[in-house]
Amino acid sequence: MSKLTGSKKATQFTESVIREMTRLNHLYGGVNLSQGFPDFPAPAAIKDAACAAINADINQYAVTWGARPLREAVAREFTRRYGLPIVADEQVTVCCGSTEAMMSTMMAIIDPGDEVVIFEPFYENYGPDAILSGATPRYVTLHEPDWSFDPDELAAAFNDKTKAIIINTPNNPTGKVFSRVELETIAALCRKWDAVAISDEIYEHILYDGHTHIPIATIEGMAERTVTINGLSKTYSVTGWRVGWTISPRTLTGAIRKVHDFLTVGAPAPLQEAGAVALGLPDQYYLNLAAKYKRLRDMLLDILERHHFTCYKPYGAYYIMTDISGFGFSDDVEFARYLAKDVGVAGVPGSSFYKNSSNGKTKLRFCYCKREETLIEADRRLVKLAPVGAQLR
Ligand SMILES: Cc1ncc(COP(=O)(O)O)c(C=O)c1O
């Protein structure tokens, strides 16, 4: 057999459906409500800081585990908000986005055969992350309509091979915000089975209707077994900057830093300087961000409901999961392609958030990290969506 083929690992997962939907949308010139990136500017103060850093010739490699001002800002803000002391030199590692932070963490702690518990539906990177790091994923369902998990189902997923659980709160794609009770249930299992919690908190500041963010690292006994992952992308509307980080217990930092070093050497140096400025923005910035996204959430909920989507209201992050079973298509991928090509609005097929794709075939995810005009244009185009049932074939 020819050796000019991809590795076994690379054949076990497909290309990202989310990024594919963005390409399809470009092809048909549609309104892109698929991939979660803003179409409005980033804050001027942080763009100025990035330009200033380049002009000040901060153009060479930063320290591999991150420029000191950013690491210190990450530690300072986590301690200020949540009361947990963090030592930048020993616990913070800056990576190329939280995507690399997750990958470096997984590769740093997983051995082949180790099991990793993943809630489903999941952010689609976690599946390939598990395969690339050699982990055996164990999926636990978040049950609609409120995306709660059954504590017994979660307990049954843990055993002495369990090395870690991946948590994402506020959650993509469901908009769920994990409650203290839920996090305590997870924490108790981590402590019982000596497992690590890898907590992706990239939507930390995007919360609605009085929901609050609780980092699992702050639950009793969890600081020493939690890797918290976050980044600039969503909070500061700079998904293309590729700056993220881990906050890890000292016992894991060395392994994460080694993997990170040999994967990427370091994140963009001038953008790390701008990141330190970003983290210093006043609290009002974060309140405004959440208020803006609440307005956009309510606007898109109204649009989608008027066009006959059944919506699961999100309480955090910036996505709406919808039920599309009423439209009469055979599956979500067919519907998503129809929507992108014939209607001119791109969403993400629900199956890309499930291991067993049939579990997502009645769902489609839309994002609303977009200008109001963009959502109004989507509304205008959705008028073309044939009436419910008309597409039955
Ligand atoms: C849950 C979650 N984690 C991570 C990422 C990627 O973050 P980054 O741009 O920092 O790599 C996303 C992007 O959509 C996400 O939704």
Side-chain angles (χ1 to χ4, degrees):
M1 203 178 89
S2 169
K3 291 182 185 158
L4 305 180
T5 56
S7 67
K8 285 201 188 78
K9 275 182 179 165
T11 53
Q12 283 173 54
F13 52 89
T14 59
E15 72 164 303
S16 155
V17 182
I18 299 180
R19 267 82 81 188
E20 189 201 336
M21 287 314 298
T22 288
R23 288 196 293 276
L24 205 65
N25 185 69
H26 284 325
L27 188 69
Y28 298 121
V31 178
N32 190 1
L33 303 186
S34 61
Q35 199 178 351
F37 59 83
D39 67 351
F40 45 79
I46 76 165
K47 291 191 292 190
D48 290 346
C51 295
I54 291 176
N55 286 326
D57 268 324
I58 302 186
N59 294 317
Q60 311 309 326
Y61 302 124
V63 176
T64 185
W65 46 82
R68 176 170 297 281
L70 177 56
R71 275 185 295 120
E72 284 183 346
V74 167
R76 181 194 72 224
E77 287 305 298
F78 199 85
T79 303
R80 184 174 76 86
R81 284 180 200 288
Y82 306 115
L84 195 68
I86 304 292
V87 178
D89 270 345
E90 297 170 6
Q91 295 183 265
V92 180
T93 306
V94 178
C95 296
C96 294
S98 62
T99 300
E100 192 242 315
M102 179 62 78
M103 194 71 250
S104 289
T105 302
M106 300 272 286
M107 291 183 65
I109 69 171
I110 300 294
D111 282 318
D114 286 348
E115 295 188 4
V116 171
V117 177
I118 301 176
F119 288 108
E120 182 183 54
F122 47 78
Y123 171 55
E124 64 163 359
N125 280 31
Y126 301 154
D129 286 346
I131 292 164
L132 289 169
S133 64
T136 304
R138 295 282 301 255
Y139 296 99
V140 173
T141 305
L142 296 174
H143 298 281
E144 60 224 57
D146 61 352
W147 308 104
S148 55
F149 61 84
D150 176 339
D152 293 334
E153 283 175 17
L154 183 65
F158 276 75
N159 59 60
D160 53 17
K161 291 202 199 121
T162 308
K163 186 71 193 263
I165 178 168
I166 299 179
I167 302 148
N168 171 218
T169 183
N171 185 260
N172 172 11
T174 64
K176 173 187 174 67
V177 180
F178 282 70
S179 69
R180 179 170 294 279
V181 171
E182 289 175 317
L183 292 169
E184 275 170 358
T185 304
I186 298 167
L189 288 165
C190 288
R191 291 192 302 263
K192 174 172 176 191
W193 296 103
D194 192 21
V196 176
I198 308 175
S199 187
D200 179 340
E201 301 180 8
I202 192 150
Y203 299 101
E204 171 190 10
H205 296 289
I206 305 178
L207 295 155
Y208 320 112
D209 307 335
H211 283 261
T212 50
H213 174 64
I214 303 170
I216 194 165
T218 62
I219 306 267
E220 197 199 332
M222 291 305 288
E224 63 258 35
R225 57 176 66 256
T226 299
V227 180
T228 305
I229 289 178
N230 210 325
L232 299 182
S233 285
K234 313 290 176 174
T235 307
Y236 305 103
S237 306
V238 287
T239 59
W241 282 18
R242 314 310 305 132
V243 179
W245 55 82
T246 59
I247 302 174
S248 50
R250 290 169 181 77
T251 46
L252 298 179
T253 303
I256 294 171
R257 286 183 174 175
K258 275 193 288 182
V259 174
H260 155 70
D261 189 7
F262 289 106
L263 273 181
T264 66
V265 177
L271 304 182
Q272 293 191 51
E273 299 297 322
V277 172
L279 270 93
L281 288 178
D283 285 339
Q284 193 58 42
Y285 170 79
Y286 303 93
L287 297 174
N288 292 349
L289 181 81
K292 170 184 175 138
Y293 277 128
K294 182 183 180 303
R295 278 196 306 280
L296 292 167
R297 177 200 68 171
D298 291 346
M299 192 173 163
L300 187 61
L301 276 173
D302 171 63
I303 292 170
L304 293 173
E305 279 167 359
R306 274 193 287 102
H307 293 288
H308 308 292
F309 289 86
T310 304
C311 296
Y312 298 99
K313 188 175 186 178
Y315 296 103
Y318 49 45
Y319 306 94
I320 299 176
M321 211 37 164
T322 65
D323 188 294
I324 52 164
S325 37
F327 290 102
F329 278 76
S330 62
D331 70 25
D332 58 321
V333 176
E334 192 194 12
F335 183 68
R337 285 183 193 283
Y338 158 78
L339 208 61
K341 184 165 178 283
D342 297 332
V343 177
V345 176
V348 179
S351 52
S352 60
F353 305 106
Y354 290 86
K355 167 69 178 152
N356 177 355
S357 56
S358 65
N359 291 339
K361 75 180 199 176
T362 58
K363 299 190 173 66
L364 200 81
R365 187 202 76 177
F366 294 98
C367 70
Y368 49 89
C369 43
K370 304 293 170 187
R371 288 170 297 140
E372 284 188 11
E373 303 88 279
T374 307
L375 299 187
I376 290 167
E377 179 57 22
D379 189 8
R380 206 183 58 73
R381 290 179 183 226
L382 284 168
V383 172
K384 270 195 261 161
L385 183 59
V388 177
Q391 307 92 337
L392 277 173
R393 49 199 74 196

